[in-house]
Amino acid sequence: MIDRTSHYIDGRWRPSTGTGTIDVIDATTEEAIGRVAAGTAEDANAAVAAARAAFDGWSRTPLEERIGFLTRAAQALQARQTEIATLVSQEVGMPFAYSNVVQAGLPVQSLVSIAEVASTYAFEETVYNSLVVREPIGVVVAITPWNYPLHQVVAKVAPALAAGCTVVLKPSEVAPLTAFVLAEVFDQLGLPPGVFNVVTGTGQSVGEALVGHDEVDMVSLTGSTVAGRRIGAVAAQTIKKVALELGGKSPLVVLDDADLVEAVSAGLNGCFLNSGQTCIALTRMLVPRAAMAQVEAIAAAGVEQIRVGGPFEPDTVVGPLVSAQQRDRVVGYIEKGIADGARLVAGGPTPPDGLERGYFVRPTVFTDVSEDMAIVREEIFGPVLVIQAYDDEEQAIRLANDTPYGLNAAVFSADRDRAVAVGRRIRAGQVQINDGAFNIHAPFGGYKQSGNGREFGAWGLDDYLETKSMQLP
């Protein structure tokens, strides 16, 4: 049992002012593997006070020293890669082979990338008779999700620290354990007290207190659109900056000249990675009507080859969902899709054979769907794919954009220039062309109700800076 019932505040481990704890559950065994403190508003206030007190000194710390902490933190996390991947596979259910690369590898890449970006970033420039300077925004509250727990933490903490901000982190109480690994790393590296703080608890008890705090200058959230609306409303009372990376219902547009086997295979991977618990999951596949029967056959055969099982079994491709609540939510959507008249191509609401224990859901594919169905319009956050037919390219683009979200999309075509032309017309923050790889150095964020602001690269650093003009004689 991993005991993490102390918060990390002002450079030391402090017991919560409350007495409650929250169990961390193994997604495969349904048993508790650890516990964290159910923090209070008093804990949140103490963390903000520590961050505020540390801000002046940290913001004036030479850039080279701030970058040095990030570089050394990357090395320290890399040394603990197996531990991190194991924790996330237990908490979230991602197969260990993927966790080792994605959940443990991306945070290291993010730290290195931001250190490199900050080293050449133009924090000052002269514009006519003005000296324009970019200064740290102040105390940052980072609220992060459970699906890529350490990756999403580092995506916020690295640029904030590089910019000269101090941070209070509230990780998801569902998968919080790797946040403590990061706190241990910074503590061992001698990061000044108060620069980085961790408080665990629920959104109602800790999150609201942090977001509404007068001494917080910025809130960065990765989470659901519902959570984004609430945080935006609370933060508006003190006119603080808010960066939001929210939900998605991302389309994969398969153009009529695409290699169908390649496109559909990539689509299945893009939908079912991390059991579909990915904000950029390609959950809507748009295909030419004439190719529907062939696409359905390829999808059904592809799902048949997907091995669902425990995350530490070497041939597992899809593991369990993160929690009973999440499993029940996803199964409810599958049942609703059937009730609404969609046709099952693969999967269904019953658990995979032999996997009644653990939060497992069968990878599921629907077709014969209408545009108004819940499974087409709403973010399910599970291994559920809908296949929609279109008659021409214009309709494909209209369907791709027919969503309140705009986080991600993909286009497949034998002609890369044609795919790029279609991608330009899709209202999304990123578009994968012919299975182009995720790029940790490029901006990441959404249009419409998928949020605002950008993470990664110089764009990620921008969000944590204020701009000042000093008019010179």
Side-chain angles (χ1 to χ4, degrees), residues 245 247-248 250-251 280 401 405-410 423-432 438-439 442-455 459:
E245 195 264 281
S250 302
I280 61 172
N401 288 326
Y405 300 108
L407 187 59
N408 187 38
R424 289 179 184 276
R425 297 181 61 190
I426 297 176
R427 301 282 294 168
Q430 71 170 17
V431 181
Q432 300 162 235
F438 181 77
N439 182 0
F444 177 79
Y447 287 23
K448 300 186 281 187
Q449 291 187 34
S450 288
N452 53 60
R454 292 294 181 268
E455 293 184 324
W459 301 268

Side-chain angles (χ1 to χ4, degrees), residues 82-273:
T82 300
E83 174 191 358
I84 291 166
T86 300
L87 286 173
V88 177
S89 291
Q90 291 176 303
E91 291 175 314
V92 179
M94 177 179 270
F96 178 80
Y98 296 118
S99 284
N100 203 35
V101 175
V102 177
Q103 302 281 11
L106 284 180
V108 173
Q109 293 181 39
S110 291
L111 285 161
V112 172
S113 173
I114 291 299
E116 292 174 349
V117 166
S119 68
T120 59
Y121 189 87
F123 286 94
E124 296 187 4
E125 62 179 314
T126 300
V127 180
Y128 291 93
N129 69 307
S130 298
L131 178 63
V132 179
V133 297
R134 311 294 303 282
E135 299 178 338
I137 197 167
V139 174
V140 173
V141 163
I143 300 178
T144 55
W146 46 260
N147 58 332
Y148 293 87
L150 186 59
H151 168 55
Q152 298 288 1
V153 166
V154 172
K156 302 178 189 305
V157 172
L161 296 187
C165 300
T166 54
V167 177
V168 179
L169 167 66
K170 194 206 87 64
S172 168
E173 66 275 19
V174 177
L177 298 179
T178 54
F180 290 91
V181 174
L182 183 62
E184 286 179 345
V185 163
F186 280 138
D187 189 67
Q188 291 161 5
L189 292 176
L191 190 72
V195 171
F196 176 71
N197 308 273
V198 179
V199 180
T200 55
T202 65
Q204 292 81 2
S205 61
V206 173
E208 295 259 340
L210 291 173
V211 173
H213 202 294
D214 289 343
E215 291 294 326
V216 170
D217 300 291
M218 175 182 173
V219 177
S220 180
L221 164 79
T222 297
S224 69
T225 299
V226 171
R229 291 191 190 103
R230 177 59 186 166
I231 282 175
V234 174
Q237 303 307 306
T238 47
I239 319 296
K240 54 173 59 76
K241 184 175 182 178
V242 176
L244 302 172
E245 195 264 281
L246 307 175
K249 193 70 177 177
S250 302
L252 164 59
V253 180
V254 181
L255 296 179
D256 56 16
D257 62 348
D259 182 313
L260 292 181
V261 173
E262 181 184 4
V264 174
S265 298
L268 295 179
N269 291 334
C271 181
F272 298 144
L273 177 67

